[in-house]
Amino acid sequence: MSTSERQVDGCPEPWNSDPYAGAIHSPVGDVTLRDAEGWSFPLDVGRWSGRADPADEAVLERCTGPILDVGCGAGRLVEALARRGHAVLGVDVSPAAVISTVCRGGHARSGSVFDPLPDEGSWGTALLIDGNIGIGGDPRHLLRRLHDLVRPGGRLIVEASPSDVDERRRVRIHVGRQAVSPVFSWATVGARAVERHGRLSGWAPIERWTSLSGERHFVALRACA
């Protein structure tokens, strides 16, 4: 692991300045993204902070290493991939998320996917799970960045919105009725829109599938040379 990656011994408690820290300790169903026009989207923090579920396992089976988990959150996928013997790095802007991932035995670094990252151009698979195609509010910009990070022919797996949408919003994280983050840009993107943006950003769609529950939708793309 690079010396720039953040490793923590034990699981320290002072995460209070980080909005994610409050969210991961909140009651399930009480955390949402909201904009000023009344749009609201529930965040499944309970699932994100748990163990990899069958829908996650279907994603992991499609990964080839080394793997970059963008927006790794509490680290469930990094943990599960490491248990499978993969070289994997989580990236998240939240220091609390990085601490959680490291406490689970994974490697993670704090920062943006748009910051310089280790081994650019050589990752085998990049992951945008739990709606992280929304990062930055500009899917094509994000997809172009990920194209630069993976090797030629490398893979990107995106969890898309279950609805056929392609929206941009300015949102905040809310815990209950209280906003706990600054305003930031976010995108909500369905599978067809992921494929369309992918084709315009150097990717070829190769697979689309839905979890057995029908609640989670995924798209796999391959980096064109």
Side-chain angles (χ1 to χ4, degrees):
M1 180 174 59
S2 165
T3 56
S4 63
E5 293 165 27
R6 297 190 179 185
Q7 288 261 6
V8 181
D9 294 328
C11 298
E13 293 299 326
W15 303 351
N16 295 335
S17 62
D18 181 354
Y20 186 82
I24 62 177
H25 296 299
S26 298
V28 174
D30 201 33
V31 185
T32 55
L33 288 182
R34 298 185 186 184
D35 69 8
E37 285 72 48
W39 178 87
S40 177
F41 182 78
L43 302 180
D44 196 351
V45 174
R47 177 174 61 79
W48 298 351
S49 300
R51 302 292 183 185
D53 64 17
D56 295 326
E57 294 291 343
V59 170
L60 306 186
E61 290 169 0
R62 290 167 165 85
C63 291
T64 58
I67 301 152
L68 185 68
D69 184 7
V70 178
C72 64
R76 77 182 191 282
L77 299 184
V78 174
E79 176 188 39
L81 285 163
R83 288 180 181 273
R84 287 171 172 249
H86 287 295
V88 54
L89 175 66
V91 179
D92 205 291
V93 295
S94 163
V98 172
I99 291 170
S100 175
T101 301
V102 172
C103 285
R104 297 171 77 142
H107 292 173
R109 64 184 289 133
S110 180
S112 167
V113 66
F114 298 105
D115 295 336
L117 291 172
D119 304 319
E120 295 198 10
S122 63
W123 294 95
T125 305
L127 299 177
L128 287 173
I129 307 303
D130 301 329
N132 284 328
I133 183 65
I135 290 172
D138 185 342
R140 290 185 197 174
H141 182 49
L142 177 58
L143 290 170
R144 286 192 294 268
R145 171 58 175 154
L146 291 170
H147 187 275
D148 291 339
L149 291 174
V150 304
R151 63 192 177 217
R155 181 169 292 198
L156 171 64
I157 301 177
V158 178
E159 182 168 359
S161 172
S163 54
D164 188 15
V165 295
D166 190 8
E167 300 175 341
R168 314 289 177 270
R169 298 183 184 275
R170 298 278 291 168
V171 301
R172 287 183 173 182
I173 300 172
H174 282 68
V175 176
R177 299 179 63 86
Q178 181 180 2
V180 297
S181 79
V183 174
F184 58 94
S185 297
W186 195 254
T188 308
V189 188
R192 288 202 300 179
V194 168
E195 292 179 347
R196 182 173 66 253
H197 291 306
R199 290 188 182 97
L200 295 170
S201 306
W203 297 93
I206 55 175
E207 187 181 7
R208 190 194 297 188
W209 74 96
T210 303
S211 65
L212 291 176
S213 68
E215 296 177 353
R216 299 178 65 189
H217 296 246
F218 302 91
V219 178
L221 308 102
R222 179 173 290 117
C224 302

